[in-house]
Structures are given as C-alpha cells and as structure tokens.
Amino acid sequence: MSEGMQGAIVGLIVAAAALYLLRKYLPRSRKPVPGAEPKSGGCGSCGSCKGGSCH
C-alpha cells in the first residue's frame, strides 16, 4: 500500500473519531425523542404516580 493511501485511511479514522467525540460530549439541541416522554395520565410530571391521585 502506498504512503498516500495509508495517510488517507488514517485521516479518515481520525476524522471519524473526532466526529464521534464531538457528538458525544457537546451539548445538542434537546429535541423530544418519541417514546421518551413521561406518561401522561392525569398525574404530575413524575410519570409514576401510585394510588390514582395526583400530587
């Protein structure tokens, strides 16, 4: 394999790792994820009320 090809592959790996770390550790815009909302059934914001009464 030529040195230019090896440099390109290493560059791609480094770029992919940097992108991964940036996406993991930088704060993202908080879009609501479907299915991750608290349950809504007449309860408060905790989503795990017991006994049928709100608090």
Side-chain angles (χ1 to χ4, degrees):
M1 206 184 298
S2 69
E3 286 187 33
M5 193 77 118
Q6 285 179 336
I9 291 173
V10 169
L12 283 173
I13 293 172
V14 168
L19 210 100
Y20 168 76
L21 290 173
L22 283 173
R23 290 186 57 161
K24 184 173 182 181
Y25 291 111
L26 283 183
R28 299 182 283 274
S29 63
R30 299 289 177 184
K31 295 180 184 174
V33 178
E37 299 137 10
K39 297 176 196 168
S40 60
C43 287
S45 61
C46 70
S48 63
C49 300
K50 294 176 181 152
S53 63
C54 293
H55 49 94

